[in-house]
Amino acid sequence: LLPGFIEMHAHMSKTRASALGLFVANGVTTVRDTGGDHEELLRWRREVRAGLRLGPRMLIAGPYLESASNIERMRKDPPAERVEPFERIRMPVGSPAEARRVVAELAAQEVDFLKIRTVQNRETYLALNEAANAHGIPLVGHVTGIPPEVVLDSGQDGVEHGFYPTLNGKTREERLVIWRKFAERGVAIVPTLVT
């Protein structure tokens, strides 16, 4: 016998509702959804809780928090070439003021945590963390170009996919100092094992 597995980083809006039963059939009893169509995810979670649909317990972040500049880049792609309906699953955040507004808006909805995918700039990144902490909502996400020390100082609650750039340029001792700081503060690092 094993306890139920927990999928730590999934995007169920991409796998679709048919995957919910497959998770359970394969022993995954909890899924941590790190960004998707919020209305759809809430509907599936409510159906699972009510016993109307077979599926795992769902912890959801709602829409990705995305830099406004990255959303503008996506809008330039012809609709037929877009990978996903980003307008429904990504929220643009282009300034500290927008960070505070978006976090407050999401805090009023049924989210378990918030997920950063890309950030506009350092000030906006810090404002996202400050606002999430003020609302008592964990903030996790990508930390592309953000040094580990800044992630720790910001109050971010988790890191998805590891660090980029990686810590490979540091000595073993330097890496251990960083990892110990993350462990002491309870900041989870969720690696990507399978894509």
Side-chain angles (χ1 to χ4, degrees), residues 6 13 25 34 45 55 64 73 87 116 123 127 157 162 171 174 186 190:
I6 300 173
S13 290
T34 56
R45 178 162 74 180
Y64 301 89
R73 181 194 57 77
E87 298 284 2
I116 297 171
E123 295 76 25
D157 299 287
T171 66
E174 289 171 327
V190 180

Side-chain angles (χ1 to χ4, degrees), residues 63-116:
Y64 301 89
L65 303 180
E66 192 83 59
S67 69
S69 58
N70 205 33
I71 294 288
E72 285 307 311
R73 181 194 57 77
M74 291 176 188
R75 283 191 178 118
K76 292 177 184 174
D77 293 338
E81 295 178 20
R82 294 178 183 166
V83 176
E84 60 194 14
F86 66 87
E87 298 284 2
R88 284 198 332 261
I89 65 174
R90 298 173 193 262
M91 290 190 78
V93 183
S95 69
E98 281 185 6
R100 290 185 283 276
R101 179 188 55 76
V102 165
V103 169
E105 181 181 317
L106 290 173
Q109 299 179 27
E110 295 177 56
V111 295
D112 299 297
F113 61 101
L114 301 173
K115 156 83 176 309
I116 297 171

Side-chain angles (χ1 to χ4, degrees), residues 77-174:
D77 293 338
E81 295 178 20
R82 294 178 183 166
V83 176
E84 60 194 14
F86 66 87
E87 298 284 2
R88 284 198 332 261
I89 65 174
R90 298 173 193 262
M91 290 190 78
V93 183
S95 69
E98 281 185 6
R100 290 185 283 276
R101 179 188 55 76
V102 165
V103 169
E105 181 181 317
L106 290 173
Q109 299 179 27
E110 295 177 56
V111 295
D112 299 297
F113 61 101
L114 301 173
K115 156 83 176 309
I116 297 171
R117 186 171 173 281
T118 59
V119 293
Q120 190 77 13
N121 52 43
R122 184 181 177 124
E123 295 76 25
T124 303
Y125 170 75
L126 294 174
L128 283 166
N129 279 280
E130 182 180 302
N133 290 333
H135 285 279
I137 300 174
L139 179 72
V140 305
H142 301 193
V143 291
T144 304
I146 302 169
E149 298 78 14
V150 174
V151 173
L152 283 169
D153 290 342
S154 73
Q156 185 168 326
D157 299 287
V159 174
E160 305 298 312
H161 310 302
F163 292 95
Y164 182 81
T166 66
L167 304 178
N168 290 342
K170 298 190 179 295
T171 66
R172 179 180 187 277
E173 291 73 28
E174 289 171 327

Side-chain angles (χ1 to χ4, degrees), residues 43-61:
R43 184 176 70 249
W44 294 342
R45 178 162 74 180
R46 290 174 184 146
E47 290 170 356
V48 168
R49 285 180 175 170
L52 302 173
R53 178 187 294 275
L54 177 65
R57 182 172 68 123
M58 295 170 60
L59 304 171
I60 56 178

Side-chain angles (χ1 to χ4, degrees), residues 2-23:
L2 292 169
F5 294 115
I6 300 173
E7 168 60 70
M8 291 299 295
H9 188 113
H11 297 285
M12 306 235 298
S13 290
K14 293 181 181 183
T15 61
R16 310 304 307 140
S18 60
L20 293 169
L22 290 174
F23 277 117

